Amino acid sequence: MPTARSRPGATSGAIGTFLATAALASGHALAQSCVTMQDLGTLGGTYSEARSISADGSVVAGYAFNAASQHRAYRWTAAGGMQNLGTFGGPHSDAAAVSADGTVVVGTAHDATGSIRAFRWTAADGMQNLGTLGGTYSGARSVSADGGVVVGSSYNTLGQFRAFRWTQTGGMQDLGALGLVGSDAISVSPDGSVIVGLAYNGDVTVLRAFRWTAATGMQDLGTLGGTDTRAFAISADGNVIIGWSYNAANQRRAVRWTSAGGIQDLGTRTNQGSYSTAVSADGSVVVGDAPQANGDDRAVRWTAEGVLQDLGTLGGFGSLANGVSADGSVVVGVADLVARQQRAFRWTAAYGMQDLGTLGGSTSYAQAVSRDGRVVSGFSRFSNAPNITHAFRAVVTDPIRAVTGPLAATTCPWGTPSFTVAAEGSGPLTFQWQWRQVGASDAWTNITQGPNTDSSGVTRFTASGALAQTVTLARFGSSQGSLESIHSLRCIISNSCNSVTSSAAALTVCIADFNCDQTIDFFDYDAFVVCYEGGICPQDATADVNHDANVDRFDYDDFVAAFETPC
């Protein structure tokens, strides 16, 4: 059974693309998304791990072994690859988090004496030692969106573990404790103003979740009636905190704190407890795990409406959720296959739980997800050799699965009808409109931007937006230009995963609506007669109704026939 809280611990990147089948629970049909899993390599050793990802998914941070089997903090980008962030003179360093904009990495690094120090890295300044609160240790755990605020913990001069908040101007600030002993800052809000973590409440055997602001100081978030609580993550506005608490029956329960409502038990699937790991940006969705009656963990998703949703497995016994997209619609984590191999997954309501595959080995783990839910980072066995594991970055493109439109349209001969489609699926989307000529049963022709010709080579109409979501047509400005040659239109919508062709929409050209006011009446007849007899026609109109380059009795007869049989 996988566990998100106890994980196993090449130098050139490789990219593989495959169709990953979504194993859907609750009777959903199988669907497929396209996954490109990229090997981020190592720093010369056999192991690397992705710990954190920027908001747009373009930057990954973690640690990797070098050729001497020393683990080093790294920052990965597509342009620069895996960059060794160095140390303070010692053997090891480890990146814990990257800022939302990807410019700042924080973590821990050894100095030449073997002491561990919190660091903040930027391209301009390199690795910056954040110091301590007077003791021998400090470590950074989280960073604000712009990288300006760093939080973590440090020993003070008394050897007590204390949560800290660091800024460039204020340095390292001791956030205090709930009693006289220790505290640890785990996460910080995007603007750096709210910090959550855990602290002893005066009894060195009891740890409590806390929320800190400059105005309130460190606040105990309370319990569900038990002893210990933990806080792990915080919403974008700092008002929602998630973690767990023991209840009066000594059961561990996933909880959600709000300023207005206090502590809320999120419930569980059985009486065996639950655990939360991540929260959506607005605080409305919480993810984590809750065991079944037999003890196997299941990834779950809670909503503010009180819904607890079992996300299933990949055919095996257990699953755990480790991250969630900003809007709460995408969940990532690890789940068992039938053979009990553990695989990174990505879950959505549309496609269920999807196996993201591996880098060639048998197991993989998803640890973080981009804000939009499309980029997942983690680590995977590089081969079935037990000591080779590489960090990965997987880009998931959801297939186009539903197309709306276009709708049938009716226009006058001189009108400019428009057709629009909409599609569900990952962008960017491309569009190619097609038209079918009257009398051509199944022959579809791509519409081009500008003039378009029929099968005989005659230019009939012009198009604007032939490769866009909305296409607009107009009669070509010659005697043979005619929208009446168009039977129907459709659109092919594509992304990097698949292509879907919309249904066809008929175009009806109403010849009798000669003045283009969308009403058939004697004003149309009068307008035609004036145009036919005197050459004074509405804008863009012509009395050559049959498009034979002559205005004659046949045009008159065709118009009258159309007028007497309205569209």
Side-chain angles (χ1 to χ4, degrees):
M1 180 173 60
T3 169
R5 296 172 293 283
S6 178
R7 298 192 181 283
T11 36
S12 63
I15 300 176
T17 303
F18 61 98
L19 287 178
T21 300
L24 305 185
S26 304
H28 286 79
L30 291 178
Q32 289 185 324
S33 290
C34 297
V35 181
T36 302
M37 181 177 280
Q38 181 173 8
D39 176 12
L40 302 189
T42 72
L43 294 171
T46 59
Y47 188 91
S48 61
E49 183 173 326
R51 291 281 186 84
S52 183
I53 193 168
S54 62
D56 66 359
S58 65
V59 180
V60 179
Y63 76 93
F65 285 178
N66 61 15
S69 295
Q70 298 166 327
H71 56 84
R72 296 292 177 87
Y74 72 80
R75 176 180 182 266
W76 180 95
T77 63
M82 184 176 284
Q83 178 182 3
N84 187 341
L85 302 188
T87 71
F88 294 128
H92 305 296
S93 60
D94 186 1
V98 63
S99 59
D101 62 6
T103 61
V104 178
V105 180
V106 301
T108 57
H110 288 244
D111 64 18
T113 69
S115 296
I116 298 173
R117 294 287 186 268
F119 77 78
R120 177 181 183 269
W121 180 95
T122 64
D125 300 326
M127 184 176 281
Q128 178 182 3
N129 189 334
L130 301 188
T132 74
L133 293 171
T136 58
Y137 166 88
S138 63
R141 288 182 177 270
S142 186
V143 63
S144 61
D146 66 357
V149 177
V150 183
V151 302
S153 58
S154 171
Y155 283 131
N156 62 16
T157 55
L158 300 176
Q160 296 169 329
F161 218 53
R162 289 296 176 90
F164 74 76
R165 178 180 186 267
W166 180 95
T167 63
Q168 195 76 51
T169 56
M172 187 175 285
Q173 175 188 1
D174 186 342
L175 301 187
L178 295 174
L180 298 176
V181 195
S183 58
D184 189 3
I186 305 297
S187 187
V188 62
S189 61
D191 67 359
S193 66
V194 182
I195 298 168
V196 300
L198 55 95
Y200 289 108
N201 71 341
D203 181 343
V204 294
T205 65
V206 176
L207 283 167
R208 292 288 180 83
F210 74 77
R211 179 180 187 268
W212 180 97
T213 68
T216 64
M218 186 175 289
Q219 295 177 301
D220 187 337
L221 296 180
T223 76
L224 293 174
T227 54
D228 287 36
T229 56
R230 302 288 189 274
F232 297 126
I234 188 169
S235 63
D237 63 4
N239 288 327
V240 178
I241 300 164
I242 62 99
W244 60 259
S245 170
Y246 284 118
N247 62 15
N250 203 36
Q251 296 170 330
R252 188 186 64 189
R253 293 293 183 92
V255 292
R256 177 178 181 267
W257 287 272
T258 63
S259 301
I263 187 170
Q264 174 191 2
D265 185 346
L266 296 182
T268 183
R269 300 180 68 249
T270 66
N271 281 327
Q272 299 192 45
S274 55
Y275 190 97
S276 61
T277 54
V279 62
S280 62
D282 67 358
S284 65
V285 176
V286 179
V287 301
D289 58 85
Q292 301 184 95
N294 65 2
D296 287 331
D297 280 325
R298 284 294 180 88
V300 292
R301 179 177 180 267
W302 293 270
T303 66
E305 294 77 23
V307 176
L308 189 162
Q309 183 176 10
D310 181 348
L311 303 187
T313 74
L314 293 171
F317 297 96
S319 58
L320 299 173
N322 294 330
V324 65
S325 62
D327 66 0
S329 65
V330 178
V331 183
V332 300
V334 58
D336 287 332
L337 300 177
V338 174
R340 303 213 73 158
Q341 296 167 328
Q342 297 163 4
R343 291 292 179 86
F345 77 76
R346 177 181 181 267
W347 178 96
T348 63
Y351 302 104
M353 185 175 285
Q354 173 182 344
D355 182 353
L356 296 183
T358 73
L359 293 172
S362 59
T363 60
S364 58
Y365 302 80
Q367 302 219 97
V369 63
S370 62
R371 183 176 177 84
D372 66 2
R374 285 200 58 196
V375 185
V376 183
S377 64
F379 56 98
S380 166
R381 295 294 188 200
F382 184 71
S383 70
N384 286 323
N387 296 321
I388 302 178
T389 297
H390 288 195
F392 72 77
R393 175 180 178 268
V395 178
V396 183
T397 302
D398 290 327
I400 299 167
R401 65 186 183 94
V403 175
T404 304
L407 299 177
T410 299
T411 184
C412 68
W414 343 110
T416 54
S418 292
F419 297 83
T420 299
V421 291
E424 294 181 24
S426 298
L429 302 179
T430 62
F431 303 88
Q432 174 61 69
W433 286 92
Q434 296 182 319
W435 73 291
R436 186 169 64 183
Q437 186 176 337
V438 171
S441 57
D442 293 315
W444 289 93
T445 303
N446 286 346
I447 295 176
T448 59
Q449 191 77 0
N452 285 260
T453 59
D454 64 16
S455 57
S456 62
V458 177
T459 302
R460 295 296 191 180
F461 64 93
T462 62
S464 173
L467 303 178
Q469 191 171 357
T470 298
V471 65
T472 301
L473 309 179
R475 167 183 165 271
F476 187 69
S478 74
S479 60
Q480 292 183 309
S482 168
L483 294 178
E484 294 100 292
S485 60
I486 301 173
H487 178 275
S488 50
L489 280 80
R490 69 181 187 184
C491 188
I492 300 173
I493 307 99
S494 304
N495 62 13
S496 61
C497 190
N498 70 328
S499 296
V500 174
T501 301
S502 73
S503 58
L507 175 63
T508 300
V509 179
C510 193
I511 297 173
D513 185 16
F514 199 77
N515 63 7
C516 256
D517 66 354
Q518 300 181 4
T519 303
I520 310 301
D521 52 28
F522 275 95
F523 293 108
D524 296 294
Y525 182 83
D526 291 344
F528 173 76
V529 170
V530 170
C531 180
Y532 177 79
E533 293 182 345
I536 303 173
C537 305
Q539 184 178 1
D540 299 325
T542 174
D544 184 13
V545 174
N546 60 13
H547 307 290
D548 64 356
N550 295 300
V551 177
D552 52 28
R553 181 73 186 182
F554 296 108
D555 296 296
Y556 183 87
D557 291 343
D558 287 347
F559 178 81
V560 170
F563 185 79
E564 292 177 347
T565 310
C567 303

